[in-house]
Amino acid sequence: MCGIVAYLGQKRALPILLEGLKRLEYRGYDSAGVSLYKDGEVLTSKTKGRISELEKLTSKNKTDATMGIGHTRWATHGKPNEINSHPHTDFSNKITLVHNGIIENYTTLKKWLVSKGVEFKSDTDSEVIVNLIGYLYSGYDSDCEIPDTQDKFEWAVQRALNKLIGSYGLAIICSDYPDSIICARKGSPLILGVGDNEYIIASDASAIVEHTKQAIYLSDNEMAIINRDGFKTLTIDNIEITKDLKDIEFSLEEIELSSYDHYMLKEIFEQPEALERCFGGRVQLGESKIVLGGITDMARKLTRAKKIIITGCGTAWHAGLIGEYMLEQLARIPTEVEYASEFRYRNPIIEDGTVVIAVSQSGETADTLAAIEMAKERGAIVLGLVNVVGSTISRMTDAGIYLRVGPEIGVASTKAFTAQVAVLAMLAIELGRRRHLSNLEAASLLKELDSIPDKTRSILKQSEHIKTIAEENYEQNNWLFMGRGFNYPTALEGALKLKEISYIHAEGLAAAEMKHGPIALITNGTPAVFIATLGSHYEKIISNIEEVRARGGKTIVIATEGDENIKAFADHLISIPDVPDSLQPLLAVVPLQLLAYHSALLRGLDVDKPRNLAKSVTVE
Ligand code: F6R
């Protein structure tokens, strides 16, 4: 949520900042701004709306400034308008900053600053930070002397940061320091790209990779002070630290749209290759085993786990729910799934032998981070299933398995979901193999797993057919999605996809629950999407379909290829290849992603940037 970018180098900063902000726009897109430093002056342009609005606003700006900071906002405190958008400048007009995160003690600090005569312009928590730094920088805090070894800007920033409670990724400039940017992080991601005589700081690597592939990932309570002749890294308590330069592991092509109209469609269509990468070297058909390098050291502990708790948010939680079914069925390990936002505030029972698995695409979700911290404090071993390499979750967990699907930019998660399910499937099969599954059963599941990418390819060929189904139903404002067993979470995911990008109200249900209440929602023409694939719940779900049809609902049925019987129950039929129950969500979700995509497009909506949402939810 919110993206920040900063540049210090030899080139014109403005186009670099705008390009960087476009790459980060998925993190928030309700307002945007830039500040450029030139000859002792800081020139700020900001506007409500998307980066395209900021581009228009700055189109006549020909400044050759080579230093600046930028921000794309997802509003937390204060409406999206020009005043609340970043960058913010302090009351003395010297300090300017961009901020990603939430300052929890901002009301106390604001009151204090106001009592000292500081005037505020915006409703944001971020303005408190800039005014606090400005207040300290201006020398008002007379009870504390600036040490000889430190300059005033650095000192004021450090002192202010030590007074903040909450989360921040910050890039700060000071009009008295022509060639200096200070950046700092706590709880919100921040990366320092180190190029040839240039530095680019950003909330994530997508804004950096065009300029350099070498980066420093700041950890919590760390800051970097960047000048034209180099940079230093230190803690916010002024202890110098050495950080390793790391390679950014994806290429520019991976974050470009190429021939697709939208990132969501691109990412849906990338799923076969993404899953091949996810399985590559891990699914070893010859030896009928799965090798998950990231967890070799804890394999014994996992195999002997007495309980597994899976935690995550949104789509990642849905993947976790499928993981629960898989781990219990295939590995026979008692498993629970918890929303990270609930888990962190409960008093869960974590005993010796409890393993917590955190699932996250971004690796930065605030609630998931907090859940991991809590689990670790209570002595659990924590395993991370993360996509973004080097993200906070990947660094704070005891061990991890990367999803390996490359950058996911569309706000609605698609390929990350299938990879999360795929990794949980690999884990469940391998733990099952070590515990009680016969070699034959494990070998057969591995073969099935290996067939998933090709089977996904065959489903994608039905995109046009799925579009015709969307054309007949997109104007309906209430949809139900139903499945049973492993496909109950798939139904939840299908409903979430539809509602988040098409703004249609949709509910996902365990199909048998329908008659305990939601059946009241069914009227003539209500689209009811059923996952009715062959398997252990087939007969039961046919009865549920009948119940909907009897009440005038329109059935969109995901069924198994070759199932002739189902045709009589479906107003619209989408066929998917046959796989065992436990792997069905990997295939069944794909038509649901396409159905949501086409419906949203037909409603004329921006599928990659749905209203009110942001890709990585770094605030509570
Ligand atoms: C929905 C979606 C969200 C995320 C959730 C967790 O399409 O993308 O529900 O799944 O915000 O995000 P991560 O996986 O980054 O922790």
Side-chain angles (χ1 to χ4, degrees), residues 378-394:
R378 291 174 181 226
I381 304 165
V382 184
L383 177 67
L385 265 54
V386 172
N387 190 36
V388 178
V389 177
S391 56
T392 310
I393 294 181
S394 75

Side-chain angles (χ1 to χ4, degrees), residues 16-244:
I16 293 175
L17 294 176
L18 290 172
E19 200 47 46
L21 290 177
K22 278 194 227 155
R23 301 248 182 245
L24 298 177
E25 201 172 11
Y26 69 88
R27 301 177 66 89
Y29 32 84
D30 57 40
S31 47
V34 285
S35 290
L36 298 159
Y37 179 92
K38 182 83 205 295
D39 301 333
E41 256 193 280
V42 174
L43 189 75
T44 296
S45 316
K46 45 193 198 174
T47 175
K48 185 174 177 217
R50 302 208 167 167
I51 309 300
S52 51
E53 297 302 315
L54 184 63
E55 269 184 315
K56 279 186 218 151
L57 185 72
T58 54
S59 60
K60 295 208 171 69
N61 184 337
K62 298 289 173 248
T63 172
D64 55 359
T66 54
M67 177 173 123
I69 57 179
H71 188 272
T72 180
R73 180 167 186 246
W74 185 88
T76 56
H77 296 69
K79 285 197 173 124
N81 59 25
E82 190 194 320
I83 291 180
N84 288 332
S85 53
H86 299 222
H88 289 285
T89 298
D90 79 313
F91 66 96
S92 72
N93 238 0
K94 286 198 181 279
I95 313 284
T96 301
L97 62 70
V98 285
H99 169 224
N100 167 30
I102 286 191
I103 301 307
E104 288 162 20
N105 60 338
Y106 89 102
T107 33
T108 317
L109 291 170
K110 190 167 177 173
K111 263 191 207 148
W112 181 72
L113 285 163
V114 168
S115 76
K116 303 282 180 189
V118 174
E119 281 182 21
F120 281 77
K121 296 176 277 245
S122 78
D123 302 320
T124 65
D125 54 340
S126 312
E127 198 187 359
V128 166
I129 314 174
V130 79
N131 274 332
L132 183 59
I133 299 171
Y135 184 78
L136 297 167
Y137 183 81
S138 307
Y140 292 115
D141 195 15
S142 51
D143 58 313
C144 192
E145 297 237 326
I146 306 171
D148 295 341
T149 49
Q150 251 188 322
D151 69 42
K152 205 160 58 145
F153 180 27
E154 181 183 322
W155 171 85
V157 170
Q158 274 182 357
R159 209 164 143 70
L161 295 185
N162 277 287
K163 292 182 191 290
L164 300 180
I165 299 173
S167 61
Y168 53 77
L170 290 165
I172 314 158
I173 56 177
C174 173
S175 56
D176 293 340
Y177 288 75
D179 295 317
S180 188
I181 299 178
I182 297 183
C183 59
R185 96 157 250 180
K186 185 182 174 197
S188 299
L190 205 59
I191 304 171
L192 165 61
V194 180
D196 244 1
N197 285 323
E198 63 177 358
Y199 302 95
I200 179 145
I201 300 143
S203 304
D204 83 42
S206 61
I208 296 176
V209 69
E210 200 171 338
H211 306 278
T212 174
K213 290 203 120 192
Q214 297 274 288
I216 282 175
Y217 290 79
L218 289 183
S219 297
D220 280 353
N221 299 314
E222 290 179 357
M223 57 195 285
I225 300 171
I226 300 118
N227 295 299
R228 294 213 179 262
D229 49 5
F231 69 93
K232 64 177 179 178
T233 43
L234 55 165
T235 67
I236 63 165
D237 299 318
N238 201 29
I239 298 165
E240 279 208 37
I241 45 172
T242 312
K243 304 272 300 177
D244 290 337

Side-chain angles (χ1 to χ4, degrees), residues 458-459 462 465 469 482 487 529-535 538 541-542 545 555-570 572-579 584 587-589 591-592:
S458 76
I459 299 171
Q462 299 183 63
H465 166 56
I469 302 175
M482 284 167 276
N487 279 319
V529 182
F530 280 96
I531 305 155
T533 38
L534 293 176
Y538 182 71
I541 206 151
I542 297 273
I545 298 177
T555 55
I556 301 167
V557 181
I558 318 281
T560 306
E561 266 169 21
D563 177 8
E564 293 296 319
N565 168 56
I566 198 90
K567 287 187 176 157
F569 304 94
H572 300 287
L573 185 67
I574 304 168
S575 298
I576 63 171
D578 193 20
V579 280
Q584 281 180 7
L587 299 182
V589 76
L592 304 185

Side-chain angles (χ1 to χ4, degrees), residues 313-316 359-365 368 408 411-413 420 493 496-497 500 615-617:
C313 304
T315 284
V359 184
S360 173
Q361 188 287 128
S362 62
E364 304 291 349
T365 301
T368 313
E408 189 182 68
V411 165
S413 188
Q420 285 158 354
E493 177 61 7
L496 178 62
K497 286 292 89 94
E500 69 182 321
K615 180 81 182 152
S616 83
V617 185

